[in-house]
């Protein structure tokens, strides 16, 4: 800790938490100086979320400690024992934006921003003052929303911005505060991330500070001053970001050096497997492309431009128009259903694990064989022992831990859940594998495994189509990337052109130029 | 229908970990650390919790039987009482199995009591008043169940209305029609049907063995066929199931149709047991099956609707009521008991679901 000779703005110490017999946080601490943006880094399961929840008072720390090393948080010299309640957090000027955003979907923008801080007059809400406050706030953050807009109707980006603004507003005022952002950029497109960073820099300029939880190391390099790194529940390092390289950060997070995050072996491709013709849906029109055997094809663009919709259309997950052809079998999109798509040799992994791709309550084995369960239906009953054996085999192949097919999916970490879902679809031996944001909320270690698995699938002859806004991942993983803009194909990058910068440029540039319409 | 997702993130629920209690059994969240994890080993108190959660219902049932046996010596455990207990609940058991099927698929079928009433009344009307022979009467009765199920399925699956609303309204429609058809008790049902339902084997009426057959078939389908798996997948995560190639709409529609059909089967048997057609039979079938299904979902495979659980819970509830009635409590105790059991059942299954990070719809 080289730059901290002054008393920190926020100091949290003796943070210890166990679930059952298993420690999740061991004497962790956090020191935030005034006017900094501080990254909190670590793999999934390293205790980041637990630390944030302890700070927010959502969970109670382990008890039974002597008074002088009891878990506590100190902000601007005022000290409170944990857990704290929301009122205390507000008094300490501690603001939180949690990963799930914590918005009420049926309320309006005005109600959302007013929650807990209504302008009242003799006990009744002064709606006029409330409205002008809301309008002024929205303008200040450059968010073109109506105060009466219903939150549920907003786009994902607008919702995220709204939640972040609410968090910022909760710590605004004379005194300095600390805003804690738990993976705020996970669902934001590049331009919104830039917008968010501008706002964060403004907070920093006032002397308040930001704690920033993220998986994206390029963002850390971009905006953070210092970083605290958690590994297996312990703080392993606090470093100045400016003097650390990305490799240094990765090494600190993993505890080992990670060589070759992106495997570079690419097989050459020729034989077309998937042919999509004139696909149109809610956000896209007339998109046509071909994917070949062994190819890893990326579909990208800015969120909202429609690139995410295309793979769902190919799989028949949503309704649209156009034609989809796999290995010579052609189907009108409007007649295509997931079941049909599967019989044609397609597999589709949606981005939203909890609601679309994995059954959290079902066991690992049940999840694994969900798409292939008919295989175990023989002579009038399910062959359980065989299913169990195959499940263990599949789990071993993708390096899943723990190797317990009977545990519910919810017991596995985010990265392991994603591996398991990938394994589930690989069991169908697909010709075409569609992936939507495959590395969402997945830690660096699991990401490498996922990339290896994707590469191996491609080498085995599968045609992989990835819809993602992680330009860096696409640049390294894909043989070819198609950029979608305003619902139509706007360009294609291959070979030497295929760099993170080129993709970013292609995606952003197309919006910078005003549309001809 | 409100769907509550409970305990997706076990780390978010502080109540489960206070003071190192036994509360987080075999499926302790394993996502909180990335330290090398061995196969999770169960400690001794975990085993106790596991057995408690799986077989708690059966253990409580056994204790209850022993308690009533002691309190009512020579009466409660007598052969005639046990025979009566098994026989009298057989039709309730069939309806309880019937409603468990759509519940497993995430849909409610509240119309079962309505189906029972309209079928019973129709049986009386056709067989006694119109002097139809038995076979056509039974076929019409079963057709009614089939049609009601199809109408339910159409509105729930095709039109997309909540099954809670559709089947609640359907109950009212069916009972209304039944009263319009005939609002008096009709006696003199075909002797063949009465014999088929009421002849006894070892002091137990045949109707119990039919119910047992339904239980075995339903259990087999739930436990040992892809259809059972699909039912569960559809109920636990419809979108996941759909995207994994499960025909969720067919499953939902099918479950509602089978439910109504089984309701009609139960009603035909009930007419035989009673030997008469009473338009007021519906009340026994309005709540008890749901209480049994909910309570049953807390045992054997806690957090999932399961046939064995429903079957045991049906008799668990009946044992309690019979015992209390034999102790001298009046008929009102039935209503109170079933109502309380339903609330308790939902509370316990919510608890079981939370502990296992599972989803329950209620």
């Amino acid at each position: 800790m080289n730059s901290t000779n002054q008393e920190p703005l926020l100091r949290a110490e003796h943070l210890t938490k166990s679930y059952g017999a298993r420690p999740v946080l061991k004497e962790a601490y956090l020191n935030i100086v005034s006017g900094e943006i501080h990254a909190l880094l670590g793999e999934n399961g390293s205790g980041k979320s637990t630390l944030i929840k302890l700070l927010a008072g959502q969970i109670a720390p382990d008890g039974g400690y002597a008074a002088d090393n009891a878990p506590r948080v100190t902000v601007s010299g005022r000290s409170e024992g944990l857990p704290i309640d929301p009122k205390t957090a507000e008094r300490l000027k501690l603001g939180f934006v949690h990963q799930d955003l914590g918005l009420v979907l049926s309320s309006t923008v005005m109600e959302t921003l007013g929650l807990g801080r209504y302008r009242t007059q003799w006990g009744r809400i002064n709606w006029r003052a409330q409205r002008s406050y809301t309008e002024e706030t929205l303008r200040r953050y450059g968010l073109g929303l109506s105060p009466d807009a219903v939150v549920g109707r907003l786009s994902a980006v607008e919702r995220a911005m709204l939640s972040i603004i609410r968090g910022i507003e909760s710590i605004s005022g004379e005194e300095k505060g600390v805003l804690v952002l738990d993976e705020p950029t996970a669902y934001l497109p590049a331009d919104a991330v830039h917008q968010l960073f501008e706002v964060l820099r403004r907070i920093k300029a006032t002397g308040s500070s930001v704690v920033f939880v993220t998986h994206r190391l390029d963002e850390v390099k971009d905006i953070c001053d210092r970083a605290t790194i958690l590994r297996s529940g312990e703080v392993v390092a606090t470093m100045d970001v400016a003097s650390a390289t990305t490799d240094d950060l990765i090494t600190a997070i993993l505890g080992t050096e990670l060589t070759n995050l992106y495997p570079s072996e690419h097989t050459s491709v020729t034989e077309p497997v998937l042919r999509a013709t004139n696909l149109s849906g809610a956000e896209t029109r007339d998109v046509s492309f071909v994917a070949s055997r062994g190819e890893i094809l990326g579909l990208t663009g800015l969120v909202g431009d429609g690139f995410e919709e295309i793979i769902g259309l190919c799989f028949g997950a949503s309704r649209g128009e156009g034609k989809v052809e796999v290995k010579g079998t052609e189907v009108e999109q409007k007649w295509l259903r997931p079941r049909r798509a599967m019989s044609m040799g397609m597999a589709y992994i949606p981005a939203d694990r909890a609601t679309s791709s994995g059954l959290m309550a079902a066991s690992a084995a049940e999840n694994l064989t969900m798409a292939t369960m008919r295989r175990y239906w023989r002579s009038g009953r399910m062959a359980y022992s065989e299913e169990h054996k195959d499940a263990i085999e599949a789990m071993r192949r993708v390096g899943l831990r723990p190797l317990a097919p009977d545990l519910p999916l919810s017991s596995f970490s985010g990265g392991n859940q994603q591996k398991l879902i990938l394994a589930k679809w690989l069991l169908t031996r697909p010709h075409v594998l569609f992936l939507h944001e495959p590395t969402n909320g997945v830690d660096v270690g699991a990401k490498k495994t996922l990339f290896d698995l994707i590469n191996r699938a491609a080498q085995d002859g599968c045609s992989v189509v990835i819809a993602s806004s992680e330009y860096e991942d696409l640049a390294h993983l894909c043989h070819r990337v198609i950029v979608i803009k305003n619902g139509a194909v706007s360009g294609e990058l291959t070979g030497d052109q295929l760099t993170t910068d080129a993709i970013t440029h292609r995606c952003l540039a197309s919006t910078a130029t005003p549309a001809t319409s | 229908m409100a769907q509550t997702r409970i305990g997706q993130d076990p780390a978010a629920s502080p109540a489960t970990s206070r003071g190192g209690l036994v509360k987080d059994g075999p499926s302790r969240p394993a996502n909180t650390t990335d330290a090398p994890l061995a196969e999770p080993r169960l400690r001794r108190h975990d085993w106790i919790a596991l057995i408690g959660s799986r077989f708690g219902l059966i253990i409580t049932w056994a204790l209850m039987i022993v308690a009533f046996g002691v309190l009512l010596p020579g009466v409660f455990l007598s052969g005639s009482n046990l025979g009566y207990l098994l026989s009298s609940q057989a039709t309730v058991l069939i309806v309880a199995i019937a409603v468990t099927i759509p519940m497993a698929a995430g849909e409610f079928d509240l119309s079962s009591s309505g189906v029972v009433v309209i079928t019973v009344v129709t049986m009386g009307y056709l067989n006694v008043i119109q002097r139809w022979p038995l076979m056509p009467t039974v076929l019409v009765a079963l057709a009614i169940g089939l049609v009601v199920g199809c109408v339910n399925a159409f509105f729930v699956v095709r039109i997309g209305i909540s099954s809670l609303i559709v089947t609640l309204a359907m109950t009212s429609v069916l009972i209304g029609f039944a009263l319009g058809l005939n609002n008096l008790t009709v006696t003199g049902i075909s002797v063949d049907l009465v014999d088929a339902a009421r002849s006894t084997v070892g002091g137990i009426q045949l109707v119990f063995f039919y119910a047992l057959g339904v239980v075995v078939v339903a259990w087999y389908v739930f436990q040992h066929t892809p259809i059972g798996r699909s039912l569960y997948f559809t109920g636990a995560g419809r979108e996941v199931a759909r995207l994994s190639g499960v025909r969720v709409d067919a499953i939902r529609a099918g479950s509602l149709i089978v439910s109504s059909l089984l309701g009609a089967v139960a009603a035909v048997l009930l007419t035989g047991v009673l030997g008469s057609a009473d338009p007021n039979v519906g009340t026994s079938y309005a709540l008890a099956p749901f209480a049994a299904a909910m309570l049953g979902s807390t045992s054997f495979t806690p957090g999932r609707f399961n046939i064995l659980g429903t079957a045991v819970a049906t008799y668990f509830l009946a044992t309690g009521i019979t015992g209390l009635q034999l102790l001298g409590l009046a008929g009102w105790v039935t209503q109170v008991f079933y109502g309380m059991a339903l609330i308790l059942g939902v509370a316990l299954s919510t608890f079981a679901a939370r502990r296992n990070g599972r989803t329950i719809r209620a």
Side-chain angles (χ1 to χ4, degrees), chain A residues 316-372:
Chain A
S318 54
R319 222 62 69 78
E321 280 165 34
K323 285 186 183 122
V324 180
E325 182 191 319
V326 174
K327 291 223 160 191
T329 315
E330 191 183 74
V331 177
E332 287 278 342
Q333 204 287 332
K334 63 182 164 204
W335 303 119
L336 191 62
R337 298 289 176 277
R339 230 182 134 74
R340 183 77 210 278
M342 284 165 67
S343 72
M344 288 163 72
M346 293 191 252
Y348 170 53
I349 306 182
D352 192 347
R353 260 197 308 275
T355 64
S356 307
S357 64
L359 275 187
M360 293 299 155
S363 72
E366 285 170 327
N367 270 289
L368 275 167
T369 58
M370 193 184 296
T372 45

Side-chain angles (χ1 to χ4, degrees), chain A residues 483 490-493 497 501-511:
Chain A
V483 178
S490 94
E492 190 177 302
L493 298 162
Q497 306 162 285
D501 288 346
I503 301 175
T504 316
H505 187 258
R506 204 55 186 257
C507 293
L508 288 176
S510 45
T511 45

